[in-house]
Amino acid sequence: MTFANPAFPPSSALSGSARLRDLGNRLGRRLLQCAAALAATAFALGSAPARAQLTVQISGAGANQYPVAIANFESADPQGKAIAEIIRADLNRTGLFRIIDAGETPLSDSAVIGFAAWKTRGADALAVGSVQRTGDGRYDVRYRLVDTVKQAQIDGVAFASGANEMRRTAHQIADRIYEKLTGDRGIFATRIAYVLKRDNIYELQIADADGQNAQTALRSREPIISPAWSPDGTRLAYVSFESRKPVVYVHTITTGQRIPVANFKGNNSAPAWAPDGNRLAVVLTRDGLSQLYMLNADGSGLRRLTQSPGIDTEPTFTPDGRAILFTSDRGGSPQIYRMNVDSNQVERVTFKGTYNISPQLSPDGKTLLYVTRRAGFQIASLDLATGNELVLTNGGRDESPSFAPNGKMILYATSQSGRGVLAAVSSDGRVTQTLSVLNGDVREPTWGPFLNN
């Protein structure tokens, strides 16, 4: 049985025996990447800048858009205007806000607000602020959010920011505005990771949630697949083929230190972090077909979890860590199952359709994402309480879904004009975004967790 996604068809250069060996490696959907000649080693680049940024295209809107104006922040240099532009772009991408033109005149955080005038312009909320350079070369960034209807302040805060931290400060302000106006935590200051392939080089990149500020964590002449964030956002687990076979590594982002944690006979693939950040579920073929195993984040304490006659792969933990959802063909076709970690008891979860793979759970554990084969390959969500399914995308070549940490957006990979790109869709399917690089294929996206700082 072949689970391969035609969006990335197997290379004709790959032998039949190699196809069989790689069948359980992420359901065979990475065979195109694995066909590259295995001849050189990877090399870590720490936080080396990427050579291209992602560009974003947005379509659709939420059912009800909140009208908000973001005035240019008062500043002696262009930083004030730049921060306001980033905040507007962040809010605009969600489809939940209607950005009211605030004009070019900056308004400081201490400005007297003419509430009636802003209400007349159509803004129910207004953000103002200021940016001042301090004696140590840093910036004092202050912002205030007001409700023009109630004529009251909603929020206000000050940040001390370095020159290279201004984008993050702008994202943090956008997060506060988003939360104050929607009640949900914002995700603009979070990060995404993905694999970029160009000129036969694979790069594991980390970028802001808007696709900007991309940094290369690892560059290799061999495929890199299945990146997965640790719960605290300090490490990435992934699979690298640099040693002529798939090996699972854990990579510390700040230092660039990486260690192989699963390098057993056969394939080592599909790492998934437990919520405690101390353990990983992985897929190994060391004992035959692809099966699920658990090990510690340093590679110790290996324990086999599944004992099935079929292929078990693509594990993901429930938020409480008590169960793992995974893909298996044990019933004759690829479907998603749930296994209790303590008892190893297994139950089937998906029943609609004959092909459902790549499970991912929402942060609250109530909604399941997966790739389903209907009109091509699409991303679907399943309400686990009601059993209601919603097909969210219509690209036909969609894969690798990943929830934003607030559960409101979904990042995934798709194909446009023969090129791999990233896309995002709101959890209700109303708003879509496409993120692309002009000179490469972008695949394997994963959305990072909330960061405490």
Side-chain angles (χ1 to χ4, degrees):
M1 177 176 295
T2 300
F3 295 173
N5 185 333
F8 303 112
S11 167
S12 60
L14 197 63
S15 69
S17 60
R19 289 194 184 99
L20 290 175
R21 285 196 304 271
D22 286 336
L23 179 61
N25 182 21
R26 297 285 293 174
L27 301 180
R29 293 181 297 115
R30 307 296 184 261
L31 291 178
L32 179 63
Q33 293 172 303
C34 304
L38 299 174
T41 58
F43 49 97
L45 296 180
S47 59
R51 287 175 291 167
Q53 299 286 357
L54 290 169
T55 59
V56 183
Q57 294 179 328
I58 309 159
S59 62
N64 297 296
Q65 290 185 302
Y66 196 101
V68 57
I70 312 296
N72 289 335
F73 285 23
E74 187 176 74
S75 177
D77 58 32
Q79 293 283 13
K81 184 176 181 180
I83 282 184
E85 288 175 346
I86 292 169
I87 295 170
R88 293 185 200 113
D90 281 346
L91 298 177
N92 189 52
R93 284 197 316 278
T94 68
L96 299 178
F97 299 90
R98 180 162 53 89
I99 305 301
I100 304 300
D101 184 10
E104 292 295 319
T105 303
L107 288 175
S108 75
D109 60 300
S110 60
V112 177
I113 306 299
F115 293 106
W118 284 101
K119 178 60 181 172
T120 300
R121 293 171 72 169
D124 288 354
L126 168 68
V128 297
S130 61
V131 180
Q132 292 185 339
R133 199 175 186 93
T134 59
D136 60 358
R138 294 171 63 81
Y139 287 90
D140 177 61
V141 182
R142 298 176 180 270
Y143 120 95
R144 185 160 62 108
L145 180 68
V146 297
D147 184 323
T148 65
V149 179
K150 297 180 180 179
Q151 301 188 9
Q153 179 170 316
I154 304 173
D155 189 30
V157 72
F159 296 89
S161 177
N164 62 346
E165 299 170 331
M166 296 298 278
R167 286 194 63 85
R168 176 163 174 77
T169 299
H171 291 320
Q172 289 175 312
I173 294 173
D175 281 342
R176 294 183 68 97
I177 296 172
Y178 181 94
E179 184 168 3
K180 293 298 180 181
L181 298 183
T182 70
D184 296 314
R185 189 171 178 181
I187 44 79
F188 309 118
T190 61
R191 297 177 294 177
I192 61 175
Y194 52 89
V195 176
L196 173 64
K197 180 178 182 288
R198 53 188 170 189
D199 300 327
N200 295 318
I201 297 295
Y202 298 84
E203 296 179 2
L204 175 61
Q205 295 195 344
I206 299 169
D208 294 347
D210 61 358
Q212 300 301 305
N213 196 30
Q215 305 289 313
T216 298
L218 182 71
R219 184 177 294 144
S220 176
R221 291 184 177 88
E222 316 309 334
I224 304 166
I225 64 174
S226 307
W229 288 93
S230 65
D232 63 359
T234 64
R235 293 167 292 172
L236 279 168
Y238 53 82
V239 177
S240 172
F241 284 76
E242 67 202 64
S243 60
R244 301 178 181 271
K245 60 177 288 188
V247 176
V248 176
Y249 287 82
V250 168
H251 187 127
T252 301
I253 295 170
T254 55
T255 66
Q257 180 185 13
R258 53 198 293 267
I259 59 171
V261 297
N263 186 12
F264 301 99
K265 178 184 69 175
N267 289 344
N268 307 269
S269 62
W273 290 91
D276 60 14
N278 297 322
R279 298 168 297 155
L280 289 163
V282 295
V283 176
L284 308 177
T285 62
R286 54 172 289 171
D287 300 314
L289 289 174
S290 295
Q291 297 287 287
L292 305 188
Y293 293 76
M294 183 100 72
L295 46 71
N296 296 325
D298 62 2
S300 65
L302 183 69
R303 175 167 71 95
R304 185 169 178 172
L305 297 176
T306 58
Q307 303 270 353
S308 82
I311 292 172
D312 297 338
T313 188
E314 296 189 313
T316 186
F317 281 87
T318 56
D320 60 11
R322 296 178 180 176
I324 291 175
L325 281 84
F326 63 98
T327 306
S328 179
D329 67 346
R330 62 180 61 196
S333 67
Q335 296 292 341
I336 296 168
Y337 294 77
R338 184 198 333 254
M339 181 189 65
N340 183 287
V341 172
D342 294 325
S343 68
N344 287 4
Q345 182 178 353
V346 175
E347 62 179 345
R348 184 170 164 177
V349 177
T350 55
F351 293 90
K352 187 173 182 179
T354 60
Y355 187 104
N356 298 298
I357 64 172
S358 303
Q360 290 292 317
L361 279 169
S362 60
D364 61 9
K366 296 180 180 179
T367 304
L368 173 67
L369 283 181
Y370 48 93
V371 175
T372 186
R373 186 170 62 192
R374 308 287 170 82
F377 290 85
Q378 298 167 275
I379 308 299
S381 66
L382 179 70
D383 186 314
L384 294 174
T386 66
N388 292 332
E389 183 190 62
L390 177 64
V391 177
L392 297 169
T393 68
N394 57 9
R397 295 185 172 187
D398 306 328
E399 63 168 25
S400 303
S402 176
F403 265 111
N406 67 358
K408 300 301 181 181
M409 294 294 294
I410 295 143
L411 187 67
Y412 64 97
T414 189
S415 180
Q416 287 188 352
S417 302
R419 216 163 40 89
V421 299
L422 302 188
V425 61
S426 58
S427 57
D428 60 6
R430 291 178 180 269
V431 182
T432 61
Q433 306 172 21
T434 302
L435 301 87
S436 63
V437 170
L438 296 178
N439 60 342
D441 289 328
V442 192
R443 303 169 180 168
E444 306 277 346
T446 178
W447 209 314
F450 287 122
L451 298 176
N452 293 326
N453 54 354

